[in-house]
Amino acid sequence: MKICFIGTGYVGLVSGVLFSDLGNSVTCVDNNHEKIENLKNGIIPIFEPGLDELVIKNYNAKRLFFTTDINHAIKNSDIIFIAVGTPTAKDGVSADLKNVYAVAQTISKNINKFKIIITKSTVPVCTGDEVEKILRKKNSSSKFEVVSNPEFLREGEAIRDFRYPDRVVIGSNNPKKTIPILKKLYEPITKKGAKFISTSRRSAELIKYAANAFLATKITFINEIANLCEQVGSNVEDIAIGIGTDARIGSRFLRAGPAYGGSCFPKDTKALTKIGKKFKTHMSVVETVIKSNEKRKNNLADKILNILKNPKGKKVGFLGVTFKANTDDMRDTQCLKIFPKLLKKGVKLSYYDPTGEKKELKKIRFIKNTKEILNNNDLVVIHTEWDEFRSLDFKSIKNKGVKIFDMRNLYQPNEFLNKNIKYYSIGRPTNEKKA
Ligand code: UDX
């Protein structure tokens, strides 16, 4: 089967490369010449552990191709995935679909035989209907089918998530024609145990938003429970185990931390409230989740200021600045909301990140290693759960009065009992009475 991915962003690149690794012939298209030339040379534009080797392997095996020639790629393919970005629009809430519609126009001009057009980008319910309308203007409906196939890849875990997903969701309004073809495409994955779920196109579009909004709700819920734990002296990790072992609740995505961030949850929760408005359905739970998550970043900045007591001139070093570990993605990362508040109070900030210096943090000093962060600050904030922060060398700290605020609960409070370090974490008793 000849496949084409339009858009070599996170979703398009990872999925395209992994479909080629399953033996398919895959062409990845992008309008950015530099990106395409780099990919041909094995230089990948994102940080995703293991992806570079797979690009080189499949490119050399001539199963994976990179091009800017979108017309040729479409003509030459049986299955076309639209995987362009759907960022938040200028109104600050809706998904901006102009890239999706522009690609649909281009596909429309190049349908030379039957093709399945798949929206892989996260798109609001009914977008498939619009794509179909665009294609119908120039083509008979027997020449194409528009299908929704949402992705559930987590950054940093994308290769594993692609190979071993819980489910594959296909939304098609003509299942007789499309499902056998797509079942075959996904067979190497479903054979290993992933569920194949066939729905209508609109349902599949909504599944993606509902999944992300539900996960964001779960995280926000446990974060609020963590706030309560801090007041009553309970331990949020015990609560997470205590509720997560109930199969009706499930144990995953119950890690309390510094609010959810990233390229998906913030964008998709907002877009879902907008979809609700469009269809006159108040998404009150999701609206509350968004508000609570925003407030949390503000509260964490306040907590840091409280720990510092007199913040002016105090030095605070952050370990990790991305929205989670194993990614270099700074989109909607929590610290971007925390830093301005600290700077305003005269705090001197610095940071170390395993993925290097960040253009978003021009005013903040980048430090090249954890050791310097540990030794030169009044407070060290563990903001991201990178493995290299899990066994920090606290013994080497010369600065005796140092405080640690572990926003990812990587350590246990009692590990610090006999050390000269004040340790604060999320939703657990500290080794000092109150921050
Ligand atoms: C998410 C979805 O998980 C994925 O299925 C979807 O397709 C894309 O969006 P991603 O944004 O890469 O993936 O990261 P994820 O691992 O889901 O984490 C999102 C945010 O929630 C991060 O800031 C993370 O730190 C936070 N999080 C996650 C928690 O605070 N606690 C948890 O238990 C899990």
Side-chain angles (χ1 to χ4, degrees):
M1 253 179 280
K2 283 194 167 175
I3 302 175
C4 153
F5 269 84
I6 303 176
T8 59
Y10 199 85
V11 172
L13 186 61
V14 171
S15 313
V17 171
L18 282 146
F19 270 123
S20 76
D21 201 51
L22 293 176
N24 300 289
S25 166
V26 178
T27 304
C28 292
V29 186
D30 206 289
N31 54 11
N32 182 330
H33 285 260
E34 195 188 339
K35 209 179 191 187
I36 290 297
E37 285 314 306
N38 279 342
L39 281 165
K40 286 179 185 168
N41 291 309
I43 303 165
I44 67 166
I46 53 169
F47 180 93
E48 183 61 37
L51 190 63
D52 43 1
E53 287 120 61
L54 289 174
V55 167
I56 294 165
K57 174 186 152 195
N58 290 291
Y59 184 71
N60 288 341
K62 300 199 169 10
R63 289 191 286 265
L64 178 64
F65 307 91
F66 297 105
T67 183
T68 52
D69 188 349
I70 187 167
N71 297 317
H72 182 260
I74 294 168
K75 282 189 187 120
N76 209 25
S77 303
D78 309 299
I79 298 177
I80 296 150
F81 283 91
I82 304 178
V84 289
T86 52
T88 301
K90 280 193 188 120
D91 66 4
V93 271
S94 340
D96 186 343
L97 297 172
K98 69 171 184 294
N99 296 331
V100 172
Y101 295 145
V103 168
Q105 296 284 4
T106 310
I107 295 173
S108 167
K109 290 182 228 151
N110 290 291
I111 297 188
N112 52 349
K113 56 179 174 180
F114 176 72
K115 294 184 193 297
I116 298 183
I117 323 293
I118 303 183
T119 48
K120 195 78 172 153
S121 309
T122 300
V123 292
V125 63
C126 297
T127 303
D129 302 14
E130 291 303 312
V131 170
E132 189 173 317
K133 261 190 221 157
I134 294 171
L135 298 177
R136 257 213 214 119
K137 280 188 191 153
K138 281 198 162 65
N139 302 279
S140 100
S141 45
S142 62
K143 277 287 185 65
F144 68 89
E145 277 299 328
V146 178
V147 166
S148 164
N149 170 214
E151 60 81 22
F152 304 102
L153 308 175
R154 286 167 302 161
E155 292 185 18
E157 312 279 344
I159 295 176
R160 202 197 154 278
D161 283 354
F162 182 93
R163 287 178 172 156
Y164 304 98
D166 292 331
R167 78 299 205 190
V168 171
V169 176
I170 301 289
S172 170
N173 295 347
N174 191 352
K176 268 198 188 136
K177 202 163 181 182
T178 57
I179 294 296
I181 300 171
L182 296 176
K183 261 199 170 149
K184 183 118 196 70
L185 178 69
Y186 275 105
E187 200 176 59
I189 290 169
T190 50
K191 251 188 183 167
K192 287 183 289 186
K195 269 204 175 124
F196 187 93
I197 301 171
S198 163
T199 69
S200 72
R201 193 168 60 208
R202 287 186 185 180
S203 297
E205 288 170 338
L206 203 49
I207 283 171
K208 172 66 197 245
Y209 281 99
N212 276 356
F214 191 82
L215 291 170
T217 304
K218 223 175 156 182
I219 296 167
T220 305
F221 177 81
I222 201 71
N223 283 341
E224 289 199 352
I225 293 290
N227 291 344
L228 184 58
C229 286
E230 285 171 22
Q231 296 310 314
V232 301
S234 311
N235 184 329
V236 72
E237 286 177 354
D238 292 340
I239 312 288
I241 294 168
I243 63 172
T245 39
D246 183 332
R248 291 170 301 174
I249 297 173
S251 59
R252 296 176 69 192
F253 277 66
L254 281 180
R255 270 179 291 115
Y260 63 77
S263 62
C264 289
F265 289 172
K267 163 174 89 72
D268 295 349
T269 43
K270 280 189 258 171
L272 184 56
T273 63
K274 183 75 183 183
I275 295 166
K277 274 197 187 114
K278 185 172 168 193
F279 293 96
K280 299 195 169 39
T281 307
H282 188 192
M283 306 305 291
S284 64
V285 172
V286 185
E287 275 179 10
T288 306
V289 164
I290 295 168
K291 275 191 205 135
S292 172
N293 197 60
E294 278 311 300
K295 198 170 160 210
R296 181 162 189 77
K297 297 175 226 173
N298 207 29
N299 291 349
L300 287 171
D302 285 340
K303 179 159 176 175
I304 292 174
L305 294 171
N306 278 341
I307 293 173
L308 293 172
K309 292 190 177 103
N310 303 309
K312 196 159 191 268
K314 290 264 172 70
K315 288 191 277 182
V316 177
F318 270 64
L319 289 177
V321 286
T322 54
F323 76 99
K324 64 170 191 176
N326 296 320
T327 180
D328 61 353
D329 201 336
M330 290 291 285
R331 280 177 289 179
D332 261 303
T333 182
Q334 304 82 341
C335 66
L336 288 179
K337 289 277 163 62
I338 297 173
F339 286 163
K341 209 165 171 186
L342 301 183
L343 290 170
K344 227 176 164 179
K345 294 284 178 188
V347 172
K348 289 186 177 153
L349 285 172
S350 61
Y351 72 99
Y352 162 76
D353 192 277
T355 60
E357 203 166 350
K358 304 289 166 204
K359 63 176 188 313
E360 293 82 355
L361 300 178
K362 278 196 185 115
K363 285 188 193 150
I364 298 168
R365 209 151 69 91
F366 174 68
I367 304 294
K368 288 201 177 97
N369 57 66
T370 51
K371 209 171 175 182
E372 264 185 72
I373 290 277
L374 288 176
N375 272 297
N376 295 326
N377 286 291
D378 300 297
L379 171 68
V380 173
V381 177
I382 303 174
H383 176 265
T384 316
E385 72 283 24
W386 285 91
D387 279 345
E388 67 177 274
F389 304 153
R390 290 176 195 271
S391 45
L392 293 169
D393 187 6
F394 294 113
K395 278 200 194 113
S396 72
I397 300 181
K398 291 179 199 97
N399 168 11
K400 289 296 176 220
V402 71
K403 295 173 178 179
I404 308 278
F405 181 14
D406 179 1
M407 290 187 177
R408 300 286 181 167
N409 289 356
L410 300 188
Y411 296 91
Q412 292 301 325
N414 59 15
E415 288 178 60
F416 295 86
L417 280 179
N418 300 320
K419 295 192 178 83
N420 228 339
I421 294 171
K422 282 181 185 147
Y423 175 79
Y424 307 84
S425 59
I426 299 281
R428 300 184 306 181
T430 62
N431 66 345
E432 195 194 54
K433 267 259 160 22
K434 245 192 175 173

